[in-house]
């Protein structure tokens, strides 16, 4: 068997290589992080792009077993931001020279919602003279809806596969049409077909998940030829069915370390994609996002959701910054990013280089 140093010299990582790398101890993993940092600098440079995250609503028609805002959770106070609240949050991003924003929320497919999103997109484009890039993260929709939202101004879409292994996916979701693995996959394909820069990702450290599953997840991302990835540790939420397995999980520190290895291996496998440093990392380690930006990630999504509703968008427990206004976080963020050798790409879209290559004539 090859050792990890030999594996890190290879052009193409196979499943066994990935499993070996995912199994590295702390000391060995430093070689992995060093390699991915070199690749990151070479292929995407030291710029990091801001996408202001607006959590539009926690109303969701789905019932994913891991998620704190799942439909059946009666302990959540449901909210929907008004147009003005959304536009104000977007304006805040524009005024602070963010290149892009993300509209994220629970899944809804009714006409009122679909039309409203289209109108919001047009307004966002208007208020920023077309300058703000827009990513959507609103779950599974029809091709028609994806196309309509794209025409209205969105150009990136993020929808995690959550877990690429069918059997495990099924354990994490109710067994019905609304939560079909095939449909999730087909929706991701529709996003790609509609012409979006397409993002997906997985949760790391889920109940029943093994290192082999995680290796397959990374291979899934490569085979799907994905442009952007958002992935992060699974964090249990008391009001969800999966909470009953909390004693079987890897400790939080272990989930964080495994996430770091996932980020680094992904950067080595997919050199020119955009990788977001996600909020769940910050839940375990206050500077978890900055740490992955040093060696792998090049996108960060500062939360700009109005503070009053933020405490109701708890996908998982101990989500950071729920008591703070957007301003509190932003001031120090840039300084912390400097400490990990990253420079903020203000006013730039920071599109996925992989997408540009993939769609070139
Ligand atoms: N409803 C949309 C987008 C909002 S949910 C969708 O599901 O695509 C955004 C992400 O939160 C999900 O993709 C999921 O990966 C993540 N998430 C939900 N519950 C989580 C948990 N308990 N721990 C970590 N991430 C979680
Ligand atoms: Fe809804 Fe997304 Fe949570 Fe699933 S993960 S319950 S689709 S908000």
């Amino acid at each position: 068997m090859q050792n990890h140093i030999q594996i890190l010299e290879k052009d193409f990582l196979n499943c066994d290589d990935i499993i070996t790398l995912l199994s590295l101890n702390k000391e060995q993993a430093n070689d992995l992080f060093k390699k991915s940092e070199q690749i990151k600098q070479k292929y995407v440079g030291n710029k990091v792009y801001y996408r202001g995250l607006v959590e539009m609503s926690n109303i969701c028609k789905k019932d994913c077993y891991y998620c704190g805002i799942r439909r059946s959770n009666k302990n959540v106070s449901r909210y929907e931001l008004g147009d003005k609240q959304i536009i104000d949050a977007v304006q805040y991003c524009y005024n602070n020279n963010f290149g892009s924003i993300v509209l994220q929320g629970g899944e809804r497919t009714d006409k009122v919602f679909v039309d409203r999103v289209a109108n919001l997109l047009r307004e966002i484009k208007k208020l920023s003279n077309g300058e703000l890039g827009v990513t959507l993260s609103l779950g599974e929709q029809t091709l028609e809806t994806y196309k309509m939202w794209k025409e209205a101004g969105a150009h990136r879409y993020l929808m995690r596969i959550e877990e690429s292994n069918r059997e495990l996916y099924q354990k994490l979701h109710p067994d019905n049409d609304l939560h079909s693995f095939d449909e999730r996959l087909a929706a991701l394909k529709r996003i790609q077909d509609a012409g979006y820069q397409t993002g997906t990702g997985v949760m790391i450290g889920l109940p029943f998940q093994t290192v082999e599953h995680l290796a397959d997840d990374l291979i899934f991302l490569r085979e799907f030829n994905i442009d952007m990835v958002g992935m992060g540790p699974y964090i249990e939420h008391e009001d969800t069915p999966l909470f009953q397995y909390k004693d079987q999980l890897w400790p939080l520190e272990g989930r964080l370390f495994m996430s770091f290895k996932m980020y680094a291996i992904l950067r080595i496998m997919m050199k020119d994609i955009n990788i977001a440093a996600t909020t769940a990392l910050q839940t375990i380690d206050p500077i978890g996002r900055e740490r992955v930006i040093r060696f792998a990630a090049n996108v960060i999504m500062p939360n700009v959701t109005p503070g009053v509703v933020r405490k109701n968008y708890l996908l998982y427990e101990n989500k950071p910054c729920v008591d703070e206004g957007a301003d509190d976080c932003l001031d120090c963020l840039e300084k912390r990013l400097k400490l990990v050798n990253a420079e903020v790409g203000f006013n730039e879209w920071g599109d996925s280089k992989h997408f540009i290559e993939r769609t070139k004539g």
Side-chain angles (χ1 to χ4, degrees):
M1 210 172 84
Q2 290 176 304
N3 68 31
H4 72 279
I5 303 288
Q6 291 166 310
I7 292 173
L8 289 173
E9 292 308 314
K10 291 174 70 168
D11 277 341
F12 186 86
L13 300 182
N14 64 30
C15 190
D16 287 343
D17 298 333
I18 298 170
I19 291 171
T20 304
L21 295 179
L22 285 173
S23 311
L24 296 181
N25 65 27
K26 284 241 152 89
E27 203 192 317
Q28 297 165 324
N30 287 328
D31 298 319
L32 166 67
F33 300 146
K34 222 180 282 163
K35 179 76 184 185
S36 88
E37 186 175 349
Q38 281 165 7
I39 289 181
K40 180 194 154 173
Q41 291 302 335
K42 180 165 172 201
Y43 288 86
V44 293
N46 74 340
K47 285 253 180 94
V48 59
Y49 303 99
Y50 282 177
R51 321 269 191 240
L53 177 64
V54 186
E55 293 157 336
M56 284 181 64
S57 166
N58 64 0
I59 299 169
C60 186
K61 65 181 206 178
K62 293 181 71 175
D63 235 349
C64 309
Y65 288 155
Y66 40 83
C67 179
I69 63 170
R70 63 197 296 271
R71 182 193 177 129
S72 300
N73 184 5
K74 300 284 180 273
N75 296 333
V76 180
S77 135
R78 301 287 165 178
Y79 74 87
E80 187 176 4
L81 291 183
D83 287 1
K84 178 160 185 332
Q85 285 174 301
I86 295 174
I87 295 301
D88 286 352
V90 171
Q91 186 73 52
Y92 169 87
C93 296
Y94 187 55
N95 294 347
N96 284 282
N97 304 310
F98 286 28
S100 310
I101 59 120
V102 183
L103 293 182
Q104 191 183 66
E107 190 170 306
R108 275 179 61 180
T109 48
D110 51 282
K111 186 164 173 4
V112 172
F113 177 77
V114 169
D115 289 346
R116 176 169 183 240
V117 171
N119 284 331
L120 280 167
L121 288 168
R122 285 182 209 111
E123 258 191 77
I124 291 166
K125 283 287 156 181
K126 203 157 83 194
L127 84 81
S128 69
N129 306 311
E131 287 169 24
L132 272 176
V134 184
T135 306
L136 294 178
S137 179
L138 299 168
E140 295 164 39
Q141 305 288 339
T142 61
L143 182 61
E144 194 189 2
T145 299
Y146 287 139
K147 282 185 175 162
M148 173 173 153
W149 287 347
K150 180 139 195 305
E151 259 159 48
H155 78 294
R156 308 186 193 105
Y157 205 106
L158 194 60
M159 195 189 75
R160 292 184 179 178
I161 191 70
E162 314 293 1
E163 167 50 56
S164 68
N165 178 280
R166 176 188 300 270
E167 285 74 40
L168 182 48
Y169 186 95
Q170 285 166 349
K171 284 192 191 155
L172 307 172
H173 297 92
D175 177 18
N176 58 34
D177 288 351
L178 206 54
H179 299 86
S180 141
F181 179 74
D182 287 326
E183 184 43 41
R184 187 90 178 159
L185 209 53
L188 198 57
K189 192 88 190 70
R190 289 199 288 276
I191 293 168
Q192 217 173 37
D193 290 345
Y196 287 92
Q197 284 179 49
T198 305
T200 191
V202 294
M203 282 176 283
I204 299 160
L206 286 158
F208 321 115
Q209 196 181 40
T210 63
V211 168
E212 286 75 18
H213 286 127
L214 291 171
D216 285 343
D217 287 339
L218 289 171
I219 292 171
F220 170 86
L221 299 174
R222 179 170 64 195
E223 287 182 350
F224 208 93
N225 205 7
I226 214 74
D227 306 307
M228 337 183 279
V229 171
M231 61 184 176
Y234 162 72
I235 296 165
E236 62 273 32
H237 188 296
E238 169 173 42
D239 296 322
T240 61
L242 284 194
F243 194 69
Q244 60 183 299
Y245 304 109
K246 65 178 192 307
D247 297 333
Q248 299 175 24
L249 300 171
W250 297 329
L252 281 175
E253 266 303 313
R255 274 175 259 169
L256 185 70
F257 181 48
M258 190 59 83
S259 301
F260 287 176
K261 290 188 276 189
M262 288 284 286
Y263 272 80
I265 300 167
L266 177 67
R267 176 54 76 199
I268 293 171
M269 290 170 69
M270 302 193 74
K271 298 177 171 45
D272 58 353
I273 61 169
N274 278 356
I275 306 180
T278 56
T279 315
L281 295 165
Q282 191 190 4
T283 306
I284 303 183
D285 175 352
I287 54 160
R289 294 174 308 169
E290 290 81 356
R291 289 174 73 186
V292 296
I293 285 171
R294 182 189 288 281
F295 60 81
N298 65 334
V299 167
I300 191 162
M301 304 192 282
N303 195 333
V304 296
T305 308
V308 277
V309 299
R310 223 186 267 186
K311 65 181 184 308
N312 297 320
Y313 198 83
L314 289 184
L315 302 160
Y316 41 81
E317 289 178 343
N318 300 320
K319 205 175 152 213
C321 292
V322 284
D323 295 328
E324 297 171 11
D327 283 321
D328 297 323
C329 304
L330 209 55
D331 280 349
C332 344
L333 183 59
E334 194 182 346
K335 293 195 189 101
R336 290 200 305 269
L337 288 167
K338 280 222 171 78
L339 293 175
V340 293
N341 183 27
E343 181 200 339
V344 182
F346 286 115
N347 297 313
E348 290 180 60
W349 279 12
D351 278 336
S352 161
K353 291 189 174 159
H354 187 80
F355 174 81
I356 297 166
E357 282 302 311
R358 175 168 77 79
T359 49
K360 219 160 54 185

